[in-house]
């Protein structure tokens, strides 16, 4: 009996060593942790339960049958993050470079199926050289099996990808279909075709970092939602994100004890809006002052900074925030910002996360770059996302809400539940100067008359009251009371029930 | 008594005057420029009158504007505060002409003391000790030696036309005087084309100590003891205290009496300050008299219990001083720290912008301690570029100097200012500086102790352990809260451990926490600390008691830990489980990111202004060019010092994101 028990321990010990001490050292030398170390950091201490520890590949080509390490290059299982269940897979670069074989894929598929069935998020830690070439099409089939699960799980359980090494070729499409992608600076990259192929085909000379490093994907391509300095920090921040997310689409958002005053007034918000309507201010200050304990988890912080997206808590419960940022491009909407915000809104709606929208938008960015890039359809994504969302929606217009952008930003007409405006709000078709020049075209040569007309327009339309008179604004509120008002609004919406008409799925302008 | 007074000033001093006036039942009128429409003094006053555009020379120091405001408001008297029109005799005259009282000295006294040479002459005539020197022309080296001997060594030999140290020599002996005279003369001739030389006493180990005087219109004058203002940066006072740790009773009395004599010699009324320079042997020499309320007057108020503003108003209304010299005793010790919107890490460059957070420490006043904060700003207010960068004066009082200093340290630790650069860390560093705490400082203190500017504070190991204990206890509270989230698996909850690894300032400690109802015993590398606090996650200031002594930390968020600001130090404190720490130790040290030597356009926009040329050396924070985007002007600044090697874009160019505007070396 003892021997049998001992054999289990021995086998486990072998499995835990992955590709062996030498390769583990090599992994560490690159500033990377091993698959199991990463899981230790991701999950509550001692909570990890491993599946398929002893699974081996079944390839017999190229002498592969001589080398069958247990686990086959991926560690899978489940555990808890602050006591809440999550499923996890973590690719082991020390075993065949983390390459994906048929059995490697089957292990991932197994935990994804369980996550779907049991309603818990899936967190994938990617560190893989790609397909296991020795296995040929069996490996490709494995990828596709994972892709299909990613697709089916989308909108059912949150899926988070953490890229902690190479992720190239077909492998990128699994993370691409998950809800969030995080990368580690300097030690991870993602691309469909690598620098060598790029050079052969297009003659472009580019480094892996330039082509698909964390900076590229967080700033330029927007493929990644965030990047962190190292594995330790990345996993700590993923834990922090999971605390904001519901476990699945049938569960409400998590609540946790909070130490902030629901009725807290913030007098400094009364002076947030500068006297000059063209002077920028930092919308993040408002977000931080509204949120419980000033805690904000920003998504896509470095991309399309003219719109801010992320999670806060109000009264301990998660709320998604979308806010125009007047500091960048005056907070206007454009292709990138509309895409960024639309995806965020749809995530929130899919997982029943209420949405708070803070509006200071002068309109859409003009220019050939935008029009030729298809701003019509990209802008429509955000409009569509807001319009179809059935979660509680509270909107606060702080300053400008001009033109079509007013409609887009969770307006009353898109089934906004509470639409508040600050007294500084200007809800109009356009700014006073532009409007005057169109309405009073005949007086264009007369600067004095134009000035008078402009003043008239400002007095009448550069206010929240025309909209309030029509009921498009439910209430004009004092800036200092915004937290209190917004908290009460969401509290009143806890029982909200709204269904869209039955459809197979909608046809959002992709 | 007046029914209504106008305060011809702004900022903290206007607020300060309004407070006393209000207590006396006098209505107050504020004046404001365009930039001060929402300022605190405007909010505090009973009425407020707009006096013009933001620049002071178009508003606060335009006599006509103020006079108009006086007429409009019907104020019976005007308090000028300090700066602006406070020492302008024409203003005093204009008020007199309209029969409005000036809450300050008579115009004759302002004039007499306003001129350096005249004031020195008057001082000499009133037997006030002045810096000995010879102002006449000196014929040759022999005469120079003779004069030097009469003055007494050391002496300073200076070129009349001199400046910047040129043509200046310090002599300690006859030989040095002879040599110095000759070389000064030669240097002066070649540098300035003017070889006139004068000689005066060289004051060694100089300290700046000043006497507060107060005189009424009935011939009574008293002194309210001294203030020491030796902690200065480029002649800008930073820290003041009363009394001086250097004076003895006899010197104090002599300085006080001479100051009163000087005040009486010029027919002074109201509050005034006689400034002295004091050498290492307690010889004191008159510098000048400030015919107004000083910025640092609160320290005098704290040790004498006299409200100087109230007395100024009463004197202006013709009342007699309610006390005689013998009534004015020194009670305890007071410190004042001037909080400036200047970034100490960037060579004390002024910083402007929005005060996103401004929470001064709680004001208290009782027999054992006092905290007083005179301020003209509020959270959400704007620090503009138009005026003095001082945003508050934080004062503390204690029974003795050590107590006042300790009170100040705690007050600075609790003072929250965000949104702009400010000198809080620097102030905190000075209060922990041995030379300052010993009281053995001179006016060269900052120059000598911080020759390369301020580079932050390194804390001692014992302090680090205290902070580690506090952070471990706080982190545990935060982790327990996180483990109480909804949606947990029942009976399989996360158990938050007792052992933590704390990394800060390059050190690592192991902390074992044994928590109970009222706090925790935290053992850090063998030393057990008792940590008590009602801190809750998210609170930006933690008031803790560690082993019975208060510990006040400003805490921000970083992954797995806190950003802690304490006593001028700014630390990242990582609190991790032993396993997390073990793995974190494997992470490579990240080099500071190589933010390349390019200025990239951060947004698509139009270049409307380029402020530098190729070849220019630029300083960190210097504005390089302005890009207009969406009708807003964005100023792009140098992220570090360097030289502009190439400018790729000019005014009128339309740029896309990440276009290279200029290159540096």
């Amino acid at each position: 009996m003892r021997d049998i028990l001992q054999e289990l321990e021995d086998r486990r010990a072998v499995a835990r060593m992955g590709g062996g001490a030498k390769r583990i050292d090599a992994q560490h030398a690159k500033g990377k942790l091993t698959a199991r170390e990463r899981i230790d950091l991701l999950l509550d201490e001692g909570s990890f339960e491993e599946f398929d520890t002893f699974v081996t590949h079944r390839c017999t080509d190229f002498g592969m049958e001589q080398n069958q390490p247990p686990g086959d290059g991926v560690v899978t299982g489940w555990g808890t993050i602050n006591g809440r269940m999550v499923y996890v897979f973590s690719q082991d670069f020390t075993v065949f470079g983390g390459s994906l074989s048929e059995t490697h894929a089957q292990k991932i598929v197994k935990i994804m199926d369980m996550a779907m069935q049991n309603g818990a998020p899936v967190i994938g830690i990617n560190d893989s050289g790609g397909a296991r070439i020795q296995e040929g099409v069996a490996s490709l089939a494995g990828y596709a099996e994972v892709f299909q699960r990613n697709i089916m799980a989308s909108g059912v359980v949150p899926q988070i990808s953490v890229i902690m090494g190479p992720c190239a070729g077909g492998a990128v499409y699994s993370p691409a279909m998950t809800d969030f992608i995080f990368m580690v600076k300097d030690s991870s990259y993602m691309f469909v075709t690598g620098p060598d192929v790029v050079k052969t085909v297009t003659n472009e000379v580019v480094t892996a970092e330039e082509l698909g490093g964390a900076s590229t994907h967080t700033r330029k391509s927007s493929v990644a939602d965030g990047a962190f300095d190292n594995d330790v920090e990345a996993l700590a921040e993923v834990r922090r994100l999971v605390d904001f997310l519901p476990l699945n689409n049938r569960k409400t958002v998590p609540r946790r004890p909070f130490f902030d005053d629901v009725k807290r007034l913030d007098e400094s918000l009364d002076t947030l809006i500068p006297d000059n309507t063209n002077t920028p201010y930092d919308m993040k200050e408002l977000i931080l002052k509204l949120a419980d304990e000033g805690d904000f988890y920003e998504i896509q912080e470095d991309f399309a900074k003219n719109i801010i997206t992320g999670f806060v808590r109000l009264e301990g419960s998660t709320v998604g925030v979308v806010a125009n940022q007047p500091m960048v491009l005056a907070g206007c909407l454009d292709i990138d910002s509309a895409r960024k915000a639309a995806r965020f809104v749809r995530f929130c709606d899919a997982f029943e996360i209420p949405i708070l929208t803070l509006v200071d938008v002068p309109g859409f960015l003009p220019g050939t770059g935008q029009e030729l890039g298809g701003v019509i359809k990209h802008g429509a994504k955000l409009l569509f996302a807001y319009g179809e969302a059935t979660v509680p929606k509270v909107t606060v217009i702080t300053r400008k809400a001009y033109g079509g952008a007013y409609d887009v930003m969770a307006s009353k007409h898109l089934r906004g539940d509470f639409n508040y405006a600050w007294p500084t709000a200007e809800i109009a078709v356009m700014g006073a100067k532009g409007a005057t020049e169109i309405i009073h075209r005949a007086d264009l040569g007369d600067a004095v008359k134009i000035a008078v007309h402009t003043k008239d327009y400002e007095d009448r339309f550069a206010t929240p009251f025309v909209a309030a008179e029509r009921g498009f604004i439910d209430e004009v509120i004092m800036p200092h009371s915004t937290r209190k008002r917004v908290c009460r609004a969401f509290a009143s919406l806890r029982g909200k029930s709204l269904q869209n008409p039955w459809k197979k799925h909608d046809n959002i302008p992709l | 008594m007046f029914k209504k007074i106008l305060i011809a000033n702004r900022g903290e001093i206007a607020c300060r005057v309004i407070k006393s006036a209000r207590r006396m039942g006098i209505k107050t009128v504020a004046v404001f420029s365009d930039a001060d429409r929402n300022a605190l003094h405007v909010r505090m006053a009973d009425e407020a009158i707009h006096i013009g555009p933001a620049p002071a020379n178009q508003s606060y120091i335009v006599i006509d504007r103020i006079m108009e405001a006086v007429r409009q408001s019907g104020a019976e008297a005007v308090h000028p505060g300090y700066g602006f029109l406070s020492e302008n005799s024409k203003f005093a005259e204009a008020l007199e002409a309209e029969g409005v009282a000036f809450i300050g000295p008579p115009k004759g006294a302002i004039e007499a003391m306003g001129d350096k040479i005249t004031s020195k002459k008057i001082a000499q005539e009133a037997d006030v000790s002045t810096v000995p020197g010879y102002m006449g022309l000196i014929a040759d080296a022999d005469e120079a030696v003779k004069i030097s001997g009469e003055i007494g060594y050391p002496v300073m030999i200076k070129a009349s036309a001199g400046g910047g140290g040129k043509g200046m020599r310090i002599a300690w002996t006859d030989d040095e005087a002879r040599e110095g005279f000759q070389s000064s003369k030669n240097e002066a001739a070649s540098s300035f084309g003017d070889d006139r030389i004068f000689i005066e006493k060289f004051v060694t180990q100089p300290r700046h100590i000043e006497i507060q005087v107060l005189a009424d219109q009935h011939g009574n004058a008293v002194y309210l003891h001294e203030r020491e203002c030796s902690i200065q940066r480029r002649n800008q006072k930073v820290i003041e205290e009363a009394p001086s740790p250097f004076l003895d009773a006899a010197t104090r009395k002599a300085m006080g009496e001479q100051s009163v004599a000087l005040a009486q010699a010029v027919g002074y009324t109201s509050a005034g300050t006689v400034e002295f320079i004091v050498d290492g042997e307690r010889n004191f020499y008159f510098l000048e008299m400030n015919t107004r309320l000083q910025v640092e007057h609160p320290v005098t108020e704290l040790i004498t219990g006299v409200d100087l503003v109230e007395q100024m108003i009463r004197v202006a209304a013709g009342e007699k001083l309610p006390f005689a010299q013998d009534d004015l005793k020194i009670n305890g010790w007071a410190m004042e720290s001037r909080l400036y919107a200047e970034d100490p890490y960037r060579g004390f460059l002024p910083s402007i912008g929005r005060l996103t957070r401004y929470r001064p420490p709680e004001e208290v006043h009782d027999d054992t301690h006092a905290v007083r904060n005179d301020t003209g700003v509020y959270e959400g207010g704007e620090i503009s570029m138009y005026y003095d960068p001082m945003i508050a004066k934080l004062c503390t009082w204690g029974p003795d100097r050590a107590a006042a200093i300790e009170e100040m340290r705690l007050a600075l630790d609790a003072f929250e200012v965000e949104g702009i650069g400010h000198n809080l860390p620097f102030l905190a560093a000075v209060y922990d500086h041995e030379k300052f705490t010993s009281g053995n400082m001179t006016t060269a203190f900052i120059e000598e102790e911080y020759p390369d500017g301020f580079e932050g504070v390194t804390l001692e190991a014992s302090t680090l352990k205290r902070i580690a204990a506090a952070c471990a206890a706080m982190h545990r509270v935060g982790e327990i809260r996180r483990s109480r989230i909804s949606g947990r698996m029942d009976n399989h909850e996360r158990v938050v451990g007792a052992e933590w690894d704390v990394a800060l300032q390059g050190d690592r400690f192991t902390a074992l926490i044994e928590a109970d109802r009222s706090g925790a015993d935290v053992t850090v590398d063998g030393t057990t600390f008792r940590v008590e606090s009602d801190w809750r996650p998210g609170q930006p200031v933690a008031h803790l008691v560690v082993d019975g002594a208060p510990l006040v930390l400003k805490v921000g968020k970083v992954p797995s830990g806190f950003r802690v600001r304490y006593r001028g130090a700014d630390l990242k404190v990582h609190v991790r489980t032993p396993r997390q720490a073990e793995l974190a130790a494997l992470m490579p040290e990240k080099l500071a990111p190589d933010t390349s030597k390019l200025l990239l356009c951060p947004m698509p926009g139009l270049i409307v202004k380029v402020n530098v040329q190729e070849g220019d050396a630029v300083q960190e924070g210097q504005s390089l060019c302005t890009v207009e985007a969406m009708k807003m002007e964005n100023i792009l600044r140098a992220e570090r010092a360097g030289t502009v090697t190439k400018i790729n874009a000019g005014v009128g160019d339309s740029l896309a994101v990440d276009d290279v505007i200029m290159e540096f070396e």
Side-chain angles (χ1 to χ4, degrees):
Chain A
M1 187 66 189
R2 269 201 89 74
D3 289 349
I4 298 172
L5 297 184
Q6 187 56 44
E7 188 188 346
L8 174 60
E9 281 306 318
D10 292 348
R11 277 175 167 260
R12 279 181 173 168
V14 170
R16 280 196 204 106
M17 284 306 286
K22 220 173 122 191
R23 291 213 175 93
I24 289 174
D25 289 345
Q27 181 85 347
H28 287 162
K30 281 185 270 185
K32 292 159 62 176
L33 296 176
T34 66
R36 283 194 165 74
E37 288 166 345
R38 287 165 175 167
I39 289 174
D40 281 353
L41 291 177
L42 177 66
L43 301 179
D44 295 339
E45 206 156 349
S47 74
F48 180 55
E49 297 254 353
E50 187 167 348
F51 293 141
D52 298 340
T53 315
F54 305 114
V55 162
T56 54
H57 70 76
R58 294 186 284 269
C59 180
T60 53
D61 294 314
F62 311 104
M64 286 292 282
E65 68 278 10
Q66 305 299 321
N67 188 6
Q68 293 190 310
D72 202 26
V74 64
V75 181
T76 62
W78 67 276
T80 58
I81 292 179
N82 288 313
R84 298 160 80 225
M85 184 166 64
V86 296
Y87 286 84
V88 58
F89 69 85
S90 178
Q91 292 178 314
D92 187 349
F93 196 78
T94 67
V95 176
F96 300 130
S99 62
L100 186 131
S101 66
E102 185 179 17
T103 40
H104 177 133
Q106 281 168 355
K107 286 181 69 175
I108 295 174
V109 164
K110 185 193 265 185
I111 61 120
M112 292 187 72
D113 288 341
M114 291 185 77
M116 290 272 280
Q117 177 189 294
N118 302 329
V122 180
I123 300 166
I125 298 173
N126 294 257
D127 188 1
S128 162
R132 181 106 31 105
I133 297 168
Q134 295 89 337
E135 294 202 7
V137 72
S139 171
L140 299 183
Y143 273 122
E145 293 289 339
V146 175
F147 297 158
Q148 183 63 47
R149 262 82 182 174
N150 287 134
I151 296 160
M152 290 299 101
S154 181
V156 180
V157 294
Q159 300 181 78
I160 299 171
S161 299
V162 195
I163 315 298
M164 297 193 141
C167 181
V172 300
Y173 286 112
S174 173
M177 292 187 292
T178 61
D179 298 302
F180 299 103
I181 298 178
F182 297 102
M183 295 181 75
V184 178
K185 291 173 191 166
D186 305 324
S187 60
S188 71
Y189 53 85
M190 292 177 81
F191 35 65
V192 176
T193 52
D196 295 342
V197 179
V198 168
K199 183 158 189 294
T200 313
V201 177
T202 70
N203 285 319
E204 284 174 284
V205 177
V206 65
T207 65
E209 184 65 27
E210 288 164 356
L211 194 59
S215 170
T216 300
H217 286 314
T218 51
R219 290 164 202 276
K220 292 185 180 142
S221 74
S222 81
V223 164
D225 297 283
F228 303 102
D229 275 346
N230 57 45
D231 287 12
V232 175
E233 192 177 299
L235 294 163
E237 288 298 292
V238 169
R239 283 178 64 90
R240 202 178 135 227
L241 174 63
V242 169
D243 284 352
F244 282 97
L245 306 181
L247 294 175
N248 61 61
N249 63 347
R250 302 181 304 277
K251 287 265 165 40
T252 54
V253 293
R255 285 170 63 84
R256 67 176 204 190
F258 65 102
F259 304 105
D260 203 342
D261 181 2
V262 175
K263 297 189 175 76
R264 173 166 54 80
L265 301 181
D266 201 319
E267 305 289 339
S268 71
L269 292 179
D270 290 346
T271 55
L272 181 65
I273 307 299
D275 290 341
N276 181 341
T277 178
N278 287 330
T279 306
Y281 61 94
D282 190 357
M283 187 65 96
K284 275 188 196 164
E285 183 181 337
L286 174 58
I287 297 173
L288 294 174
K289 286 181 173 174
L290 290 185
D292 284 359
E293 302 167 21
D295 193 15
F296 178 48
Y297 196 101
E298 188 164 359
I299 300 293
Q300 297 220 338
E301 183 176 0
D302 292 323
F303 181 74
K305 292 181 176 187
N306 42 334
I307 208 155
I308 306 167
T309 55
F311 300 105
V312 298
R313 291 186 184 82
L314 295 175
E315 300 184 48
S317 293
T318 308
V319 170
V321 178
V322 177
N324 307 113
Q325 171 57 289
M327 299 279 280
V328 180
L329 288 175
C332 71
L333 290 175
D334 60 0
I335 293 172
D336 289 346
S337 59
R339 275 176 46 223
K340 168 179 164 181
R343 182 163 168 79
F344 183 78
V345 167
R346 279 169 65 88
F347 175 81
C348 290
D349 188 47
F351 289 100
E352 288 298 329
I353 299 171
I355 300 169
L356 170 64
T357 306
L358 306 173
V359 184
D360 185 350
V361 64
F364 277 91
L365 181 68
T368 51
Q370 291 291 311
E371 296 296 347
L372 302 187
V375 66
I376 295 175
K377 282 219 167 173
H378 292 295
K381 288 174 181 172
L382 183 54
L383 174 60
F384 198 113
Y386 267 126
E388 71 175 340
T390 56
V391 289
K393 290 187 282 195
V394 175
T395 304
V396 180
I397 299 174
T398 59
R399 189 165 67 175
K400 295 168 195 170
Y402 288 168
Y406 152 74
D407 284 338
V408 170
M409 293 302 296
S411 62
K412 195 77 199 165
H413 327 289
L414 300 179
R415 303 189 294 183
D417 294 303
F418 281 74
N419 288 71
Y420 288 133
W422 284 4
T424 43
E426 304 171 15
I427 305 164
V429 174
M430 59 173 74
K433 190 165 168 290
T436 307
E437 284 169 3
I438 293 170
I439 299 168
H440 302 284
R441 190 166 292 160
D443 294 338
L444 265 184
D446 188 336
V448 178
K449 274 191 184 167
I450 287 289
V452 172
H453 291 318
T454 306
K455 180 82 176 56
D456 287 348
Y457 186 94
E458 273 171 6
D459 292 347
R460 176 74 185 113
F461 296 104
T463 76
F465 297 107
V466 178
E469 283 160 16
R470 293 181 180 265
F472 301 158
I473 291 298
D474 297 301
E475 177 79 303
V476 180
I477 62 170
M478 290 301 278
H480 66 249
S481 69
T482 308
R483 173 174 159 87
K484 187 180 92 178
R485 302 295 292 248
V486 167
C487 283
R488 273 182 72 83
F490 280 120
S492 78
L493 293 167
R494 282 179 196 144
K496 179 179 177 181
S497 171
L498 177 65
Q499 259 81 46
N500 288 335
W502 186 92
K503 53 179 99 175
K504 188 171 173 192
H505 61 69
D506 57 43
N507 189 17
I508 188 167
L510 286 175
Chain B
M1 183 48 61
F2 310 117
K3 291 198 170 55
K4 190 195 262 188
I5 64 170
L6 181 143
I7 298 99
N9 216 305
R10 62 176 302 283
E12 66 89 12
I13 194 60
C15 300
R16 160 74 190 90
V17 175
I18 290 169
K19 274 187 194 164
S20 283
R22 171 168 300 164
R23 212 167 26 75
M24 296 167 72
I26 301 169
K27 292 246 180 289
T28 53
V29 184
V31 293
F32 64 95
S33 72
D34 287 347
D36 279 339
R37 219 166 269 282
N38 299 315
L40 189 62
H41 73 282
V42 173
R43 293 179 172 199
M44 281 176 67
D46 296 307
E47 322 171 17
I49 297 175
H50 178 243
I51 51 163
N57 62 9
Q58 295 170 47
S59 50
Y60 292 107
I61 58 175
V62 180
I63 293 176
D64 290 348
R65 298 281 178 134
I66 305 290
M67 292 310 298
E68 218 168 279
V70 170
R71 275 177 226 122
Q72 195 184 321
S73 64
E76 299 156 76
V78 172
H79 197 297
Y82 53 72
F84 294 147
L85 295 172
S86 61
E87 292 176 283
N88 185 319
S89 58
K90 288 208 176 68
F91 181 52
E93 211 170 283
L95 288 170
E96 200 180 308
E98 302 233 355
V100 176
F102 179 65
I103 303 173
K107 70 174 199 291
I110 299 176
E111 275 165 3
M113 292 293 116
D115 181 81
K116 284 219 170 194
I117 296 168
T118 321
S119 67
K120 199 171 170 184
K121 238 169 93 189
I122 295 172
Q124 277 167 344
E125 283 161 13
D127 284 333
V128 176
S129 164
T130 57
V131 181
Y134 184 76
M135 291 296 168
L137 281 178
I138 301 167
D140 54 27
D142 286 341
E143 196 184 348
V145 171
K146 188 173 144 266
I147 291 166
S148 299
E150 281 165 19
I151 293 169
Y153 290 105
V155 296
M156 187 157 53
I157 302 165
K158 274 202 243 180
S160 286
K166 275 215 174 108
M168 197 162 95
R169 291 290 183 283
I170 290 156
W172 296 77
T173 63
D174 285 356
D175 286 350
E176 283 177 14
R178 188 178 301 280
E179 223 169 275
F181 175 79
Q182 213 51 57
S183 52
S184 273
K185 202 173 169 71
N186 295 344
E187 209 170 290
S190 63
S191 298
F192 314 116
D194 173 354
D195 65 355
R196 284 176 305 154
I197 296 294
F198 70 92
I199 299 179
E200 67 177 25
K201 177 91 181 166
F202 175 66
V203 179
T204 55
Q205 295 170 276
R207 303 172 72 117
H208 178 118
I209 299 175
E210 60 190 27
I211 301 290
Q212 176 70 54
V213 296
L214 190 57
D216 65 18
Q217 298 180 27
H218 308 278
N220 304 306
V222 294
Y223 61 92
L224 292 91
H225 310 295
E226 79 281 8
R227 293 183 289 260
E228 168 143 13
C229 319
S230 294
I231 307 299
Q232 315 184 342
R233 202 184 67 82
R234 296 193 183 149
N235 293 323
Q236 181 196 58
K237 293 171 187 167
V238 179
I239 290 174
E240 298 102 335
E241 63 185 295
S244 162
F246 189 57
L247 293 194
D248 51 36
T251 316
R252 176 173 298 127
K253 188 158 184 279
M255 289 172 75
E257 283 170 356
Q258 288 189 17
S259 299
V260 167
L262 177 64
Q264 281 171 332
V266 292
Y268 202 88
T269 65
S270 194
T273 296
V274 182
E275 293 192 344
F276 292 94
I277 185 165
V278 182
D279 74 11
E281 263 106 52
R282 295 197 180 82
N283 298 308
F284 58 90
Y285 309 104
F286 169 78
L287 280 181
E288 61 177 335
M289 181 169 186
N290 294 319
T291 56
R292 57 170 156 83
L293 188 66
Q294 293 277 90
V295 175
E296 59 272 21
H297 74 275
V299 287
T300 299
E301 297 185 324
L302 284 168
I303 60 159
T304 59
V306 173
D307 180 334
L308 286 168
V309 171
E310 177 185 340
Q311 291 309 320
M312 288 176 81
I313 295 172
R314 293 195 183 282
V315 165
E319 291 189 17
K320 278 189 183 166
L321 291 182
F323 36 66
Q325 188 62 54
D326 287 347
D327 302 328
L328 295 164
K329 301 277 186 287
I330 295 177
N331 173 26
W333 214 286
M335 289 281 163
E336 175 178 279
S337 303
R338 296 194 191 187
L339 179 59
Y340 287 107
E342 291 177 346
D343 191 339
Y345 304 109
R346 294 178 163 218
F348 293 92
L349 277 179
S351 176
I352 56 169
R354 178 176 158 81
L355 276 174
T356 55
R357 196 167 173 88
Y358 177 79
R359 304 279 164 101
E362 204 186 332
E363 290 191 302
V364 287
H365 198 131
D366 59 32
D367 292 345
T368 55
H369 61 305
V371 176
R372 164 176 167 179
N373 188 53
D374 285 25
T375 190
V377 301
Y378 54 90
E379 183 168 294
E382 193 85 11
I383 304 299
S384 82
M385 57 190 277
Y386 297 105
Y387 313 110
D388 188 280
M390 195 178 77
I391 51 183
K393 301 183 316 204
L394 178 66
C395 296
T396 56
W397 176 91
D400 55 33
R401 188 165 189 266
I405 288 176
E406 185 56 21
E407 204 64 54
M408 180 61 80
R409 289 175 181 148
L410 290 170
L412 289 170
D413 282 340
F415 207 136
E416 293 179 79
V417 183
E418 310 288 352
I420 55 156
H422 55 77
N423 66 338
L424 270 178
F426 178 70
L427 291 169
V430 173
Y431 284 101
D432 271 342
H433 197 293
E434 194 273 330
K435 203 163 184 179
F436 177 79
T437 53
S438 71
N440 180 30
M441 65 276 192
T442 71
T443 51
F445 173 83
I446 291 177
E447 214 176 311
E448 284 171 7
E449 303 302 321
Y450 302 92
D452 304 317
F454 178 66
E455 283 157 349
V457 166
T458 308
L459 298 174
E460 286 175 18
S462 59
T463 310
L464 290 182
K465 275 190 171 183
R466 271 164 63 83
I467 294 175
C471 287
M474 290 193 293
H475 186 71
R476 183 179 162 275
V477 169
E479 290 301 298
I480 288 173
R481 186 270 289 273
R482 295 181 75 179
S483 73
R484 295 200 174 141
I485 193 168
S486 66
R488 304 183 306 259
M489 293 174 75
D490 287 347
N491 306 320
H492 301 274
E493 283 96 348
R494 172 186 174 200
V495 178
V496 174
E499 191 182 345
W500 297 91
D501 180 285
V502 187
L504 69 169
Q505 201 179 283
D507 273 326
R508 270 177 68 180
F509 301 100
T510 302
L512 267 170
I513 303 176
E514 214 175 301
D516 52 50
R517 268 166 184 279
S518 62
D521 289 324
V522 186
T523 305
V524 179
D525 281 7
T527 317
T528 302
F529 297 90
R530 177 69 191 167
V531 180
E532 286 169 350
S533 172
D534 56 3
W535 180 84
R536 290 289 170 269
Q539 287 176 0
V541 178
H543 292 269
L544 305 115
V545 176
V546 178
D547 283 349
L551 177 68
V552 181
L553 304 176
K554 264 166 268 183
V555 289
K557 301 177 189 83
V558 298
S560 338
F562 307 97
R563 174 191 180 191
V564 168
R565 281 175 290 175
Y566 173 72
R567 299 287 152 97
D570 193 340
L571 310 171
K572 271 186 188 169
V573 183
H574 293 289
V575 188
R576 298 181 169 115
T577 64
R579 177 65 172 152
Q580 287 166 348
E582 179 192 348
L583 297 176
L586 294 170
M587 294 293 99
E589 193 86 35
K590 287 267 164 168
L591 298 171
D594 174 34
T595 34
S596 67
K597 291 163 176 169
L598 303 171
L599 175 70
L600 303 180
C601 190
M603 65 209 89
L606 188 76
I607 302 265
V608 293
K609 200 168 164 195
V610 178
N611 301 321
V612 291
Q613 293 180 340
E614 285 179 11
D616 282 4
V618 295
Q619 292 306 310
E620 181 176 312
Q622 185 176 337
S623 74
L624 300 172
C625 67
T626 307
V627 176
E628 188 190 280
M630 291 300 285
K631 298 178 189 164
M632 289 197 190
E633 294 202 342
N634 303 273
I635 296 169
L636 307 186
R637 296 175 187 281
E639 285 182 8
R640 68 192 62 73
T643 305
V644 182
T645 52
K646 193 152 180 269
I647 298 179
N648 300 318
V651 171
D653 286 358
S654 184
L655 300 183
V657 179
D658 286 347
D659 278 357
V660 177
I661 302 174
M662 52 186 86
E663 297 169 24
F664 304 93
E665 191 178 79

